[in-house]
Amino acid sequence: MECEGRKLSNCIVITSACFVIILSHVTQASGVAISDEVVDHYNAIRVRQTGTEVGQRFKLVVMCLSKDRKSIVVDVENCLKVKDVGNSDVLKKILSKLPTNECRYALYDCSYVSMESVKEDLVFILSAPETASLKSRMVYASSKAALKAKMPGLKFEWQINEPADREASCLVEKLGGRVMVKSLEGISVDQ
């Protein structure tokens, strides 16, 4: 079997109950470009600020496909700064910015306490709920590698596909599990 004149070994095959799609060139399989604003927001969320600037630091940067579906852009309306979160249930606020019926990418500046120390790490989130269209989930999945390549140094990835994935325990497992993580966003993790 060949893919555009090349052997199938250079392609990814995604199957569904009704059809087979062959995608070539894994890093740009979807053909979706990544806007410069995405890289700018990634650089902004990475910077650790002190003093009065802390409230202006991003806590969450949400990204989505543009209306023409040709590029990944920042979903400005759903981004959160530290000052927007306040003393609320941070994880609940973060998850409220990820629609339950549409796909999104996000960068979350996660604060947690491990056995060793207080930590802040960026968590890459791919939210591809089962209720989103199959086409949308496929485009988001096939664009993920190219997007992550523009964001070097990410250690953690949290994929949300079903309601159970939205639980704090899922994120805790990604960060090292209940044995390693003692609290998440100031809330104790039950042993």
Tab-separated table of all heavy atoms in Angstrom, residues 6-58:
chain	number	residue	atom	x	y	z
A	6	ARG	N	4.555	7.183	-1.769
A	6	ARG	CA	5.553	6.736	-0.798
A	6	ARG	C	5.059	5.490	-0.101
A	6	ARG	O	3.866	5.225	-0.053
A	6	ARG	CB	5.796	7.838	0.239
A	6	ARG	CG	6.526	9.026	-0.353
A	6	ARG	CD	6.541	10.110	0.658
A	6	ARG	NE	5.152	10.591	0.733
A	6	ARG	CZ	4.807	11.807	0.993
A	6	ARG	NH1	5.714	12.697	1.263
A	6	ARG	NH2	3.551	12.181	1.048
A	7	LYS	N	5.966	4.766	0.494
A	7	LYS	CA	5.581	3.577	1.230
A	7	LYS	C	4.778	3.974	2.457
A	7	LYS	O	4.968	5.038	3.023
A	7	LYS	CB	6.826	2.804	1.657
A	7	LYS	CG	7.561	2.199	0.491
A	7	LYS	CD	8.742	1.425	0.964
A	7	LYS	CE	9.492	0.865	-0.234
A	7	LYS	NZ	10.695	0.182	0.171
A	8	LEU	N	3.901	3.092	2.907
A	8	LEU	CA	3.037	3.358	4.046
A	8	LEU	C	3.821	3.554	5.343
A	8	LEU	O	3.340	4.175	6.268
A	8	LEU	CB	2.021	2.224	4.195
A	8	LEU	CG	0.913	2.430	5.208
A	8	LEU	CD1	0.138	3.699	4.838
A	8	LEU	CD2	-0.018	1.252	5.239
A	9	SER	N	5.043	3.089	5.414
A	9	SER	CA	5.826	3.239	6.632
A	9	SER	C	6.073	4.708	6.979
A	9	SER	O	6.383	5.031	8.102
A	9	SER	CB	7.159	2.500	6.513
A	9	SER	OG	7.929	3.085	5.473
A	10	ASN	N	5.931	5.617	6.042
A	10	ASN	CA	6.115	7.043	6.295
A	10	ASN	C	4.818	7.739	6.691
A	10	ASN	O	4.768	8.943	6.779
A	10	ASN	CB	6.671	7.752	5.062
A	10	ASN	CG	8.054	7.278	4.728
A	10	ASN	OD1	8.790	6.849	5.605
A	10	ASN	ND2	8.407	7.335	3.461
A	11	CYS	N	3.748	6.978	6.867
A	11	CYS	CA	2.429	7.567	7.107
A	11	CYS	C	1.841	7.059	8.405
A	11	CYS	O	2.260	6.047	8.941
A	11	CYS	CB	1.487	7.222	5.963
A	11	CYS	SG	2.058	7.827	4.365
A	12	ILE	N	0.826	7.761	8.856
A	12	ILE	CA	0.032	7.323	9.995
A	12	ILE	C	-1.328	6.945	9.448
A	12	ILE	O	-1.907	7.669	8.651
A	12	ILE	CB	-0.143	8.455	11.016
A	12	ILE	CG1	1.190	8.799	11.654
A	12	ILE	CG2	-1.155	8.074	12.084
A	12	ILE	CD1	1.083	9.949	12.619
A	13	VAL	N	-1.850	5.837	9.896
A	13	VAL	CA	-3.177	5.422	9.465
A	13	VAL	C	-4.097	5.525	10.668
A	13	VAL	O	-3.836	4.948	11.715
A	13	VAL	CB	-3.160	3.974	8.926
A	13	VAL	CG1	-4.567	3.538	8.547
A	13	VAL	CG2	-2.209	3.856	7.756
A	14	ILE	N	-5.180	6.288	10.523
A	14	ILE	CA	-6.188	6.413	11.565
A	14	ILE	C	-7.434	5.728	11.054
A	14	ILE	O	-7.935	6.056	9.982
A	14	ILE	CB	-6.475	7.890	11.874
A	14	ILE	CG1	-5.204	8.567	12.388
A	14	ILE	CG2	-7.604	8.018	12.886
A	14	ILE	CD1	-5.350	10.053	12.587
A	15	THR	N	-7.911	4.757	11.823
A	15	THR	CA	-9.086	4.029	11.378
A	15	THR	C	-10.269	4.347	12.276
A	15	THR	O	-10.120	4.651	13.440
A	15	THR	CB	-8.843	2.513	11.385
A	15	THR	OG1	-8.543	2.113	12.706
A	15	THR	CG2	-7.735	2.130	10.436
A	16	SER	N	-11.411	4.269	11.714
A	16	SER	CA	-12.670	4.426	12.433
A	16	SER	C	-13.570	3.310	11.942
A	16	SER	O	-13.233	2.593	10.997
A	16	SER	CB	-13.267	5.803	12.134
A	16	SER	OG	-14.490	5.950	12.825
A	17	ALA	N	-14.725	3.178	12.537
A	17	ALA	CA	-15.634	2.099	12.150
A	17	ALA	C	-16.019	2.188	10.678
A	17	ALA	O	-16.281	1.172	10.045
A	17	ALA	CB	-16.884	2.143	13.018
A	18	CYS	N	-16.029	3.390	10.099
A	18	CYS	CA	-16.538	3.561	8.741
A	18	CYS	C	-15.482	3.904	7.700
A	18	CYS	O	-15.759	3.829	6.516
A	18	CYS	CB	-17.604	4.661	8.731
A	18	CYS	SG	-19.001	4.269	9.786
A	19	PHE	N	-14.302	4.349	8.100
A	19	PHE	CA	-13.351	4.793	7.087
A	19	PHE	C	-11.912	4.732	7.587
A	19	PHE	O	-11.666	4.555	8.768
A	19	PHE	CB	-13.669	6.226	6.645
A	19	PHE	CG	-13.699	7.222	7.765
A	19	PHE	CD1	-12.551	7.900	8.130
A	19	PHE	CD2	-14.862	7.487	8.456
A	19	PHE	CE1	-12.565	8.812	9.158
A	19	PHE	CE2	-14.887	8.406	9.493
A	19	PHE	CZ	-13.731	9.067	9.837
A	20	VAL	N	-10.996	4.878	6.660
A	20	VAL	CA	-9.573	4.911	6.954
A	20	VAL	C	-9.022	6.213	6.394
A	20	VAL	O	-9.299	6.579	5.259
A	20	VAL	CB	-8.831	3.713	6.314
A	20	VAL	CG1	-7.345	3.825	6.527
A	20	VAL	CG2	-9.366	2.402	6.846
A	21	ILE	N	-8.237	6.912	7.202
A	21	ILE	CA	-7.599	8.145	6.747
A	21	ILE	C	-6.098	7.945	6.860
A	21	ILE	O	-5.609	7.463	7.880
A	21	ILE	CB	-8.026	9.341	7.617
A	21	ILE	CG1	-9.521	9.579	7.468
A	21	ILE	CG2	-7.243	10.589	7.248
A	21	ILE	CD1	-10.063	10.666	8.350
A	22	ILE	N	-5.375	8.305	5.841
A	22	ILE	CA	-3.927	8.195	5.863
A	22	ILE	C	-3.345	9.593	5.919
A	22	ILE	O	-3.638	10.438	5.077
A	22	ILE	CB	-3.404	7.440	4.624
A	22	ILE	CG1	-4.017	6.027	4.598
A	22	ILE	CG2	-1.893	7.393	4.635
A	22	ILE	CD1	-3.689	5.253	3.359
A	23	LEU	N	-2.531	9.832	6.950
A	23	LEU	CA	-1.912	11.136	7.133
A	23	LEU	C	-0.405	11.003	6.952
A	23	LEU	O	0.213	10.136	7.550
A	23	LEU	CB	-2.207	11.663	8.546
A	23	LEU	CG	-3.678	11.791	8.941
A	23	LEU	CD1	-3.800	12.110	10.421
A	23	LEU	CD2	-4.343	12.859	8.110
A	24	SER	N	0.176	11.861	6.159
A	24	SER	CA	1.625	11.819	5.990
A	24	SER	C	2.251	13.006	6.695
A	24	SER	O	1.580	13.967	7.032
A	24	SER	CB	1.983	11.831	4.511
A	24	SER	OG	1.533	13.028	3.910
A	25	HIS	N	3.528	12.951	6.903
A	25	HIS	CA	4.296	14.000	7.557
A	25	HIS	C	3.728	14.304	8.941
A	25	HIS	O	3.036	15.282	9.155
A	25	HIS	CB	4.339	15.289	6.713
A	25	HIS	CG	4.849	15.044	5.340
A	25	HIS	ND1	6.157	14.715	5.097
A	25	HIS	CD2	4.221	15.046	4.149
A	25	HIS	CE1	6.322	14.544	3.787
A	25	HIS	NE2	5.166	14.737	3.193
A	26	VAL	N	4.052	13.472	9.907
A	26	VAL	CA	3.475	13.529	11.238
A	26	VAL	C	3.529	14.920	11.858
A	26	VAL	O	2.570	15.373	12.439
A	26	VAL	CB	4.185	12.505	12.166
A	26	VAL	CG1	3.675	12.621	13.567
A	26	VAL	CG2	3.980	11.112	11.624
A	27	THR	N	4.637	15.647	11.743
A	27	THR	CA	4.738	16.934	12.416
A	27	THR	C	3.796	17.976	11.856
A	27	THR	O	3.413	18.877	12.552
A	27	THR	CB	6.182	17.473	12.348
A	27	THR	OG1	6.569	17.550	10.986
A	27	THR	CG2	7.120	16.600	13.135
A	28	GLN	N	3.411	17.879	10.618
A	28	GLN	CA	2.477	18.832	10.023
A	28	GLN	C	1.337	18.083	9.353
A	28	GLN	O	0.842	18.493	8.320
A	28	GLN	CB	3.197	19.743	9.006
A	28	GLN	CG	4.104	20.755	9.630
A	28	GLN	CD	3.344	21.811	10.433
A	28	GLN	OE1	2.131	21.823	10.564
A	28	GLN	NE2	4.090	22.715	11.007
A	29	ALA	N	0.923	16.990	9.952
A	29	ALA	CA	-0.088	16.139	9.337
A	29	ALA	C	-1.374	16.891	9.046
A	29	ALA	O	-2.021	16.658	8.035
A	29	ALA	CB	-0.374	14.937	10.232
A	30	SER	N	-1.755	17.797	9.922
A	30	SER	CA	-3.031	18.477	9.739
A	30	SER	C	-2.927	19.653	8.782
A	30	SER	O	-3.947	20.133	8.295
A	30	SER	CB	-3.532	18.982	11.089
A	30	SER	OG	-2.662	19.996	11.568
A	31	GLY	N	-1.727	20.118	8.527
A	31	GLY	CA	-1.556	21.293	7.678
A	31	GLY	C	-1.906	22.589	8.389
A	31	GLY	O	-1.965	23.647	7.766
A	32	VAL	N	-2.143	22.533	9.682
A	32	VAL	CA	-2.517	23.701	10.475
A	32	VAL	C	-1.252	24.434	10.915
A	32	VAL	O	-0.333	23.830	11.458
A	32	VAL	CB	-3.351	23.269	11.701
A	32	VAL	CG1	-3.627	24.434	12.619
A	32	VAL	CG2	-4.648	22.617	11.252
A	33	ALA	N	-1.221	25.746	10.680
A	33	ALA	CA	-0.076	26.566	11.081
A	33	ALA	C	-0.223	26.969	12.555
A	33	ALA	O	-1.313	26.911	13.118
A	33	ALA	CB	-0.013	27.813	10.209
A	34	ILE	N	0.872	27.383	13.148
A	34	ILE	CA	0.865	27.847	14.541
A	34	ILE	C	1.189	29.331	14.525
A	34	ILE	O	2.255	29.740	14.051
A	34	ILE	CB	1.877	27.057	15.378
A	34	ILE	CG1	1.475	25.574	15.361
A	34	ILE	CG2	1.936	27.600	16.799
A	34	ILE	CD1	2.555	24.632	15.718
A	35	SER	N	0.272	30.140	15.037
A	35	SER	CA	0.445	31.591	14.984
A	35	SER	C	1.570	32.042	15.913
A	35	SER	O	1.875	31.391	16.918
A	35	SER	CB	-0.850	32.310	15.347
A	35	SER	OG	-1.090	32.211	16.730
A	36	ASP	N	2.170	33.170	15.575
A	36	ASP	CA	3.246	33.738	16.397
A	36	ASP	C	2.745	34.098	17.787
A	36	ASP	O	3.492	34.036	18.761
A	36	ASP	CB	3.833	34.983	15.725
A	36	ASP	CG	4.618	34.642	14.462
A	36	ASP	OD1	5.026	33.465	14.315
A	36	ASP	OD2	4.816	35.545	13.628
A	37	GLU	N	1.466	34.470	17.926
A	37	GLU	CA	0.926	34.839	19.232
A	37	GLU	C	0.948	33.651	20.191
A	37	GLU	O	1.082	33.830	21.402
A	37	GLU	CB	-0.476	35.435	19.114
A	37	GLU	CG	-1.544	34.439	18.773
A	37	GLU	CD	-2.957	35.009	18.756
A	37	GLU	OE1	-3.237	36.022	19.414
A	37	GLU	OE2	-3.792	34.410	18.063
A	38	VAL	N	0.832	32.438	19.677
A	38	VAL	CA	0.913	31.245	20.520
A	38	VAL	C	2.305	31.149	21.138
A	38	VAL	O	2.452	30.938	22.344
A	38	VAL	CB	0.567	29.977	19.712
A	38	VAL	CG1	0.936	28.717	20.471
A	38	VAL	CG2	-0.901	29.965	19.336
A	39	VAL	N	3.324	31.335	20.339
A	39	VAL	CA	4.700	31.285	20.835
A	39	VAL	C	4.950	32.429	21.820
A	39	VAL	O	5.581	32.237	22.862
A	39	VAL	CB	5.711	31.321	19.665
A	39	VAL	CG1	7.137	31.371	20.173
A	39	VAL	CG2	5.505	30.110	18.756
A	40	ASP	N	4.425	33.616	21.526
A	40	ASP	CA	4.577	34.755	22.433
A	40	ASP	C	3.933	34.470	23.788
A	40	ASP	O	4.502	34.778	24.833
A	40	ASP	CB	3.959	36.025	21.834
A	40	ASP	CG	4.709	36.526	20.612
A	40	ASP	OD1	5.878	36.112	20.402
A	40	ASP	OD2	4.126	37.334	19.853
A	41	HIS	N	2.745	33.884	23.787
A	41	HIS	CA	2.066	33.554	25.047
A	41	HIS	C	2.798	32.436	25.794
A	41	HIS	O	2.852	32.448	27.018
A	41	HIS	CB	0.611	33.178	24.794
A	41	HIS	CG	-0.298	34.363	24.684
A	41	HIS	ND1	-0.279	35.221	23.615
A	41	HIS	CD2	-1.242	34.837	25.527
A	41	HIS	CE1	-1.176	36.162	23.799
A	41	HIS	NE2	-1.773	35.953	24.949
A	42	TYR	N	3.361	31.492	25.061
A	42	TYR	CA	4.164	30.442	25.697
A	42	TYR	C	5.358	31.073	26.413
A	42	TYR	O	5.642	30.753	27.571
A	42	TYR	CB	4.641	29.425	24.660
A	42	TYR	CG	5.752	28.533	25.156
A	42	TYR	CD1	5.524	27.575	26.134
A	42	TYR	CD2	7.039	28.654	24.652
A	42	TYR	CE1	6.531	26.763	26.606
A	42	TYR	CE2	8.061	27.842	25.105
A	42	TYR	CZ	7.807	26.897	26.086
A	42	TYR	OH	8.821	26.097	26.551
A	43	ASN	N	6.041	31.991	25.744
A	43	ASN	CA	7.182	32.656	26.374
A	43	ASN	C	6.747	33.484	27.581
A	43	ASN	O	7.460	33.548	28.582
A	43	ASN	CB	7.927	33.526	25.359
A	43	ASN	CG	8.680	32.685	24.351
A	43	ASN	OD1	9.173	31.597	24.667
A	43	ASN	ND2	8.751	33.139	23.116
A	44	ALA	N	5.569	34.087	27.513
A	44	ALA	CA	5.077	34.905	28.625
A	44	ALA	C	4.715	34.056	29.842
A	44	ALA	O	4.997	34.442	30.978
A	44	ALA	CB	3.866	35.720	28.181
A	45	ILE	N	4.113	32.897	29.634
A	45	ILE	CA	3.716	32.059	30.770
A	45	ILE	C	4.934	31.400	31.424
A	45	ILE	O	4.907	31.069	32.599
A	45	ILE	CB	2.654	31.004	30.369
A	45	ILE	CG1	1.941	30.456	31.611
A	45	ILE	CG2	3.259	29.900	29.534
A	45	ILE	CD1	0.735	29.579	31.308
A	46	ARG	N	6.011	31.244	30.692
A	46	ARG	CA	7.247	30.647	31.233
A	46	ARG	C	7.974	31.567	32.191
A	46	ARG	O	8.698	31.103	33.069
A	46	ARG	CB	8.207	30.305	30.093
A	46	ARG	CG	7.795	29.143	29.290
A	46	ARG	CD	8.776	28.819	28.198
A	46	ARG	NE	10.151	29.034	28.588
A	46	ARG	CZ	11.138	29.312	27.754
A	46	ARG	NH1	10.908	29.404	26.470
A	46	ARG	NH2	12.355	29.483	28.183
A	47	VAL	N	7.819	32.879	32.011
A	47	VAL	CA	8.583	33.855	32.792
A	47	VAL	C	8.058	33.913	34.221
A	47	VAL	O	6.864	34.078	34.443
A	47	VAL	CB	8.502	35.258	32.137
A	47	VAL	CG1	9.179	36.295	32.995
A	47	VAL	CG2	9.104	35.208	30.744
A	48	ARG	N	8.930	33.792	35.180
A	48	ARG	CA	8.587	33.906	36.599
A	48	ARG	C	8.757	35.353	37.013
A	48	ARG	O	9.846	35.912	36.940
A	48	ARG	CB	9.490	33.020	37.463
A	48	ARG	CG	9.361	31.575	37.138
A	48	ARG	CD	8.056	31.030	37.674
A	48	ARG	NE	7.866	29.678	37.206
A	48	ARG	CZ	6.752	29.239	36.683
A	48	ARG	NH1	5.724	30.028	36.554
A	48	ARG	NH2	6.635	28.009	36.295
A	49	GLN	N	7.662	35.962	37.453
A	49	GLN	CA	7.704	37.357	37.864
A	49	GLN	C	7.620	37.451	39.378
A	49	GLN	O	7.116	36.553	40.040
A	49	GLN	CB	6.554	38.129	37.209
A	49	GLN	CG	6.645	38.095	35.703
A	49	GLN	CD	5.371	38.575	35.027
A	49	GLN	OE1	4.302	38.539	35.598
A	49	GLN	NE2	5.511	39.008	33.790
A	50	THR	N	8.085	38.564	39.916
A	50	THR	CA	8.048	38.789	41.356
A	50	THR	C	7.388	40.133	41.652
A	50	THR	O	7.190	40.953	40.766
A	50	THR	CB	9.472	38.787	41.948
A	50	THR	OG1	10.235	39.806	41.301
A	50	THR	CG2	10.149	37.443	41.762
A	51	GLY	N	7.077	40.355	42.914
A	51	GLY	CA	6.512	41.638	43.326
A	51	GLY	C	5.124	41.870	42.777
A	51	GLY	O	4.298	40.967	42.684
A	52	THR	N	4.846	43.096	42.386
A	52	THR	CA	3.518	43.478	41.906
A	52	THR	C	3.185	42.868	40.544
A	52	THR	O	2.030	42.830	40.153
A	52	THR	CB	3.403	45.010	41.803
A	52	THR	OG1	4.417	45.484	40.919
A	52	THR	CG2	3.543	45.656	43.164
A	53	GLU	N	4.177	42.365	39.830
A	53	GLU	CA	3.946	41.790	38.504
A	53	GLU	C	3.363	40.381	38.548
A	53	GLU	O	2.879	39.890	37.549
A	53	GLU	CB	5.260	41.757	37.720
A	53	GLU	CG	5.832	43.125	37.434
A	53	GLU	CD	7.186	43.041	36.759
A	53	GLU	OE1	7.804	41.962	36.761
A	53	GLU	OE2	7.621	44.062	36.223
A	54	VAL	N	3.379	39.738	39.731
A	54	VAL	CA	2.925	38.354	39.839
A	54	VAL	C	1.486	38.213	39.356
A	54	VAL	O	1.148	37.279	38.640
A	54	VAL	CB	3.065	37.827	41.287
A	54	VAL	CG1	2.363	36.497	41.462
A	54	VAL	CG2	4.531	37.697	41.646
A	55	GLY	N	0.607	39.122	39.718
A	55	GLY	CA	-0.792	39.042	39.315
A	55	GLY	C	-1.006	39.130	37.819
A	55	GLY	O	-2.015	38.674	37.294
A	56	GLN	N	-0.043	39.699	37.105
A	56	GLN	CA	-0.158	39.841	35.649
A	56	GLN	C	0.356	38.621	34.893
A	56	GLN	O	0.186	38.521	33.697
A	56	GLN	CB	0.609	41.094	35.186
A	56	GLN	CG	0.009	42.384	35.689
A	56	GLN	CD	-1.438	42.548	35.243
A	56	GLN	OE1	-1.795	42.274	34.102
A	56	GLN	NE2	-2.286	42.977	36.149
A	57	ARG	N	0.980	37.695	35.602
A	57	ARG	CA	1.502	36.481	34.979
A	57	ARG	C	0.336	35.573	34.564
A	57	ARG	O	-0.676	35.477	35.249
A	57	ARG	CB	2.405	35.753	35.963
A	57	ARG	CG	3.133	34.568	35.351
A	57	ARG	CD	4.052	33.909	36.334
A	57	ARG	NE	3.270	32.999	37.142
A	57	ARG	CZ	3.499	32.739	38.413
A	57	ARG	NH1	4.479	33.328	39.045
A	57	ARG	NH2	2.745	31.901	39.072
A	58	PHE	N	0.480	34.890	33.454
A	58	PHE	CA	-0.549	33.957	33.004
A	58	PHE	C	-0.565	32.719	33.890
A	58	PHE	O	0.470	32.163	34.225
A	58	PHE	CB	-0.313	33.515	31.556
A	58	PHE	CG	-0.729	34.530	30.539
A	58	PHE	CD1	0.212	35.296	29.871
A	58	PHE	CD2	-2.069	34.727	30.253
A	58	PHE	CE1	-0.163	36.237	28.931
A	58	PHE	CE2	-2.460	35.665	29.316
A	58	PHE	CZ	-1.510	36.428	28.651
